[in-house]
């Protein structure tokens, strides 16, 4: 089950989102050639991925930024870019191009620092834009909690699109990150759950001034938590399980 789109159109062209998408894809394609060489990829990750023990020793601070633009595989890249595409344009619309670019970097850096704190002695390299994009999701939740999001459910041969409020989808996602964080070991690698949780919290906090400027609770009351503009309409045609004739 994963989101495929929201019903929250942006009022301006999201140039920064486009630039981030292009940069992440281009860098991933440029590193494909060294993925199968353990020596080269190991050195590359040492130079550009977050290694908590290294940062704990006061070295490699630049990796808090460079790691945000690296991905370990097609699914890793595709999932992150999908979430950025769905939720990023609306924050850029509200924050402006420069404001959103700074917000994105700050959320990514904050997520990286929280990941380091979760396992300061870990030597496992960490890469991915997930922390920064989690920050985007946190900001989106604060500004548009009741914006409608389409969720695609895939269950074997059953496909169905559901429309749910953003706070349900984002709240469930955050809950899974908490559960994953408490059950994972940062010294063994895997998903950086605390980077996701931390990025979400950083994004929410960084969006607070904008939310207050818009009126805070009054902004929610005026919009009922929906986008402050007409929502995009989509025609949903639910799929059915195909019937298999019996001989």
């Amino acid at each position: 089950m994963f989101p495929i789109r929201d019903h929250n159109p942006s009022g301006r062209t999201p140039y920064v989102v486009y630039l981030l998408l292009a940069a992440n894809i281009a860098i991933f394609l440029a590193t494909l050639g060294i993925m199968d060489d353990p020596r080269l990829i190991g050195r590359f990750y040492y130079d550009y991925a977050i290694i908590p023990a290294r940062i704990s020793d006061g070295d490699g601070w630049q990796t808090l930024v460079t790691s945000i633009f690296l991905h370990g595989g097609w699914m890793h890249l595709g999932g992150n870019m999908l979430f950025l595409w769905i939720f990023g344009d609306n924050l850029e619309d509200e924050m402006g191009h420069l404001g959103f670019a700074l917000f994105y970097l700050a959320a990514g850096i904050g997520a990286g620092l929280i990941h380091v704190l979760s396992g300061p002695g870990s030597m496992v390299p960490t890469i991915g834009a997930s922390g920064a994009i989690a920050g985007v999701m946190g900001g989106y939740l604060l500004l548009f909690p009741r914006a409608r999001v389409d969720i695609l459910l895939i269950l074997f041969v059953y496909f169905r699109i559901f429309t749910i409020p953003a706070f349900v989808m984002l709240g469930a996602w955050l809950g899974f990150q908490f559960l994953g964080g408490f059950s994972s070991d940062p010294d063994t690698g895997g998903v950086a759950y605390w980077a996701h949780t931390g990025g979400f919290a950083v994004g929410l906090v960084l969006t607070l001034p904008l939310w207050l400027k818009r009126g805070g609770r009054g902004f929610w009351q005026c919009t009922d938590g929906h986008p402050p503009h007409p929502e995009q309409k989509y025609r949903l045609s639910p799929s059915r399980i195909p019937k298999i004739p019996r001989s």
Side-chain angles (χ1 to χ4, degrees), residues 185-198:
D185 182 356
D187 291 326
T188 60
V191 178
Y193 290 106
W194 290 120
H196 297 174
T197 305

Side-chain angles (χ1 to χ4, degrees), residues 18-82:
Y18 291 161
L19 181 61
L20 290 170
L21 290 169
N24 279 277
I25 294 170
I27 292 171
F28 176 75
L29 293 176
T31 59
L32 277 179
I34 64 173
M35 288 290 186
D36 295 329
D37 189 320
R39 183 182 60 84
L40 290 178
I41 198 64
R43 183 64 200 181
F44 181 79
Y45 282 165
Y46 181 83
D47 289 337
Y48 299 108
I50 292 176
I51 300 177
R54 187 182 173 198
I55 292 181
S56 297
D57 290 338
D59 186 28
W61 291 100
Q62 75 282 357
T63 63
L64 292 171
V65 175
T66 57
S67 63
I68 300 173
F69 297 91
L70 305 178
H71 292 85
W74 289 103
M75 292 296 293
H76 189 200
L77 174 71
N80 278 344
M81 295 304 99
L82 174 64

Side-chain angles (χ1 to χ4, degrees), residues 50 64-65 67-68 103-113 129 131-133 135 199 202:
I50 292 176
L64 292 171
V65 175
S67 63
I68 300 173
F103 167 88
Y104 184 87
L105 290 175
I109 292 171
L113 288 173
I133 295 170
V202 170

Side-chain angles (χ1 to χ4, degrees), residues 27-237:
I27 292 171
F28 176 75
L29 293 176
T31 59
L32 277 179
I34 64 173
M35 288 290 186
D36 295 329
D37 189 320
R39 183 182 60 84
L40 290 178
I41 198 64
R43 183 64 200 181
F44 181 79
Y45 282 165
Y46 181 83
D47 289 337
Y48 299 108
I50 292 176
I51 300 177
R54 187 182 173 198
I55 292 181
S56 297
D57 290 338
D59 186 28
W61 291 100
Q62 75 282 357
T63 63
L64 292 171
V65 175
T66 57
S67 63
I68 300 173
F69 297 91
L70 305 178
H71 292 85
W74 289 103
M75 292 296 293
H76 189 200
L77 174 71
N80 278 344
M81 295 304 99
L82 174 64
F83 275 70
L84 176 60
W85 173 258
I86 293 173
F87 300 111
D89 62 328
N90 299 114
L91 278 199
E92 184 173 347
D93 198 10
E94 294 293 326
M95 296 178 175
H97 304 307
L98 179 60
F100 177 72
L102 295 175
F103 167 88
Y104 184 87
L105 290 175
I109 292 171
L113 288 173
I114 291 172
H115 174 68
V116 171
L117 291 174
S118 72
S122 173
M123 287 296 296
V124 178
T126 300
I127 58 174
S130 306
I133 295 170
V136 172
M137 294 162 66
Y140 190 101
L141 175 64
L142 183 61
L143 294 179
F144 315 111
R146 296 183 64 85
R148 298 197 301 160
V149 179
D150 288 343
I151 303 295
L152 175 62
L153 173 66
I154 303 176
L155 187 61
F156 299 107
V157 295
Y158 180 73
F159 298 82
R160 182 73 180 268
I161 295 176
F162 296 90
T163 301
I164 60 176
F167 76 88
V168 174
M169 181 260 147
L170 295 174
W173 181 89
L174 183 61
F176 282 121
Q177 306 314 304
F178 268 113
L179 291 175
F182 285 115
S183 61
S184 65
D185 182 356
D187 291 326
T188 60
V191 178
Y193 290 106
W194 290 120
H196 297 174
T197 305
F200 194 98
V202 170
L204 196 151
V205 170
L206 290 177
T207 311
L208 270 174
L210 176 61
W211 178 68
L212 293 172
K213 182 179 179 180
R214 295 285 191 270
R217 291 176 62 88
F219 177 70
W220 282 349
Q221 292 171 354
C222 291
T223 64
D224 193 30
H226 289 83
H229 48 254
E231 292 186 334
Q232 181 69 45
K233 302 295 183 182
Y234 299 107
R235 293 186 60 187
L236 300 180
S237 54

